[in-house]
Amino acid sequence: MFKLRLCALFVLALLVVCSHAQTAEKMSLNDAISYALSHVNSLKVSQLSVKDASLAYDENHATALPQVGADFNVQYFYKTPTQLIPDFISPAVYGALKNVTYSNGKALELPLNQGGGGYFQSSFVQPLTTNLVLSVNELLFSGSYTVALKAAKANEQYVQAQLASKQLEVKNSVIDAYLPSLLLVENIRTLDQNIDNLQKTLRDVKATFNAGLVEQLDVDRLQLSLSNLQTERENVDRQRGTLINVLKLTINYPYEQPLEISDDINKLLTATPEASLMADLDLASRPEIVVFNNLLRLNEINVELQRSANLPTIAAFGNYQYGYTRSFSSLTAVPQGLVGLKASITLWDSGLRKVKIERAQLQLQQIQYQKADVERGLSLQVLNARINYQNAKRRVASQDKNLELAQRIYNTTQTKYKNGVGSSLEVTTAEQALYTSQANLRQAQYDLLASEAAIQKALGR
């Protein structure tokens, strides 16, 4: 019993250790985009729409192919229907029998008033019938069908263009969620480095204070700076956790599973050649324009469809029937078959087709105007994104120089302080200026990355 309890405790402890030892998955920006493209539900819905559009085309195409059907039925009249028919039989029989005589020469005695004039019941329905019917129908020509098939194919292409646009939208959403998280991760790295450096400086100053060479004020100032850095680090880490959850939501990642950012901001800044950011805008490659082009095609087909509404429709059909009828005494086969053509055309529709054509043309013009506005907006989007990129690039260069200067000032004040010719206040002031320069550079680098992403988005990549 003791061994059993010991084993149970061991297994429980192992499960606890395994649960705590769950390692966080590390994702680069490209990893996050790939994960989102495979897991975001809205994309799955769009992919199903593409499949449905493909099936809709097959459905339209199948309507003009031969349609073969079969019917089989059995019916039995347990009480056959009858009709009243004038009695035309009795007069004939009466006339034939009234002249009949027996061998002894005596005439046959017949009832009186058998000359007819009455009715009798008769049935012309067989009690049991069976039928097997095979039928074939095929559409030979229809102007509306031909145009509808074009529309189904155009709709399939339109839905595919919508999927590409949705994929780009998801990609941009992932970038918008990833970059702020990356900025906070970089800030945490910088804060950790500053905390580590400040802790070393504080240890040195405490040793100097114990030797009686500096004042308690110097130690307190460094201790306050260290406490502020640690508090800021905790706040940034909490913000990072919130933004990581936003990223999880964006890529449809499980909330309960840990996730870490693995990219480096400096690596991302050099990942995209500047020449590609300055490439000419190809409007035809923008998913929005591709969607509009397909939408225009659909409306053009709609105009064509309305114009073809009065074209004739021709269909062929065939039918073969094999049946049996059975009375109470015999079984009879009754086969029959037929083939034919059916043509139909609208002779007069009171101007309905003309109105439908005009409305379809109006809808086409509306799409053309909307496309033109979108094209102008996209061109302006690229122009503004490139202006922001150039501004962000200059800010990064400026903040990089400011950081070098702040670092040099900080190093100088540290050296002066250690040699006894500087004050701790100078060190603290230089330290705050260094931290501010670091934060400004990180923000400028983030703005530069965001402007690069904006150009890529404007170019439709």
Side-chain angles (χ1 to χ4, degrees), residues 29-30 266-278 389 449 452-453 455-456 459 461:
L29 178 57
N30 290 332
N266 294 310
K267 178 182 176 182
L268 288 180
L269 285 172
T270 59
T272 305
E274 186 172 358
S276 67
L277 298 176
M278 298 299 146
Y389 170 77
L449 275 178
E452 288 184 2
I455 293 177
Q456 299 279 29
L459 292 175
R461 299 174 182 169

Side-chain angles (χ1 to χ4, degrees), residues 201-215 218-219 417-418:
T201 302
L202 181 59
R203 286 195 296 267
D204 294 339
V205 172
K206 283 184 177 180
T208 306
F209 170 75
N210 292 332
L213 300 178
V214 296
E215 299 179 356
D218 297 332
V219 178
Y417 180 75
K418 290 179 180 179

Side-chain angles (χ1 to χ4, degrees), residues 221-394:
R221 281 175 177 167
L222 290 176
Q223 187 66 55
L224 178 61
S225 297
L226 178 60
S227 178
N228 289 335
L229 282 181
Q230 291 172 337
T231 301
E232 184 179 359
R233 204 267 185 203
E234 293 174 357
N235 292 334
V236 173
D237 189 54
R238 283 192 290 269
Q239 295 175 14
R240 180 195 64 82
T242 301
L243 291 181
I244 289 294
N245 286 334
V246 174
L247 178 60
K248 289 180 179 179
L249 173 64
T250 305
I251 66 176
N252 200 22
Y253 189 86
Y255 290 120
E256 64 276 5
Q257 296 184 14
L259 178 65
E260 290 184 2
I261 300 299
S262 64
D263 252 325
D264 180 83
I265 196 169
N266 294 310
K267 178 182 176 182
L268 288 180
L269 285 172
T270 59
T272 305
E274 186 172 358
S276 67
L277 298 176
M278 298 299 146
D280 294 335
L281 172 62
D282 182 13
L283 286 173
S285 66
R286 282 297 304 255
E288 297 92 336
I289 301 302
V290 175
V291 170
F292 266 105
N293 288 337
N294 283 278
L295 194 57
L296 284 172
R297 177 60 179 156
L298 282 172
N299 281 269
E300 291 170 354
I301 293 174
N302 186 34
V303 174
E304 185 180 353
L305 176 63
Q306 302 306 326
R307 286 175 175 168
S308 65
N310 282 1
L311 292 177
T313 299
I314 302 174
F317 60 90
N319 181 291
Y320 179 78
Q321 176 176 325
Y322 196 87
Y324 285 95
T325 61
R326 180 181 180 86
S327 64
F328 291 103
S329 60
S330 64
L331 182 66
T332 305
V334 186
Q336 68 179 33
L338 62 89
V339 293
L341 289 176
K342 178 182 178 182
S344 60
I345 187 172
T346 301
L347 299 178
W348 176 250
D349 61 2
S350 300
L352 179 62
R353 182 172 67 95
K354 181 176 180 295
V355 173
K356 287 185 176 181
I357 291 175
E358 291 178 353
R359 292 193 62 194
Q361 290 173 335
L362 290 177
Q363 293 173 359
L364 177 60
Q365 291 176 0
Q366 290 175 349
I367 299 300
Q368 290 172 339
Y369 291 138
Q370 292 173 1
K371 178 188 175 184
D373 287 341
V374 170
E375 288 177 342
R376 285 175 53 82
L378 292 177
S379 299
L380 180 61
Q381 185 180 358
V382 173
L383 179 62
N384 290 338
R386 284 174 175 165
I387 293 175
N388 292 334
Y389 170 77
Q390 295 296 340
N391 292 336
K393 189 177 179 181
R394 284 191 287 269

Side-chain angles (χ1 to χ4, degrees), residues 400-415:
D400 193 39
K401 292 180 180 179
N402 291 342
L403 179 58
E404 291 180 3
L405 180 60
Q407 185 68 54
R408 190 161 61 247
I409 293 173
Y410 177 75
N411 292 339
T412 301
T413 56
Q414 284 276 34
T415 302

Side-chain angles (χ1 to χ4, degrees), residues 117-129:
Y119 294 86
F120 67 91
Q121 291 184 340
S122 180
S123 176
F124 298 94
V125 177
Q126 299 296 331
L128 176 64
T129 59

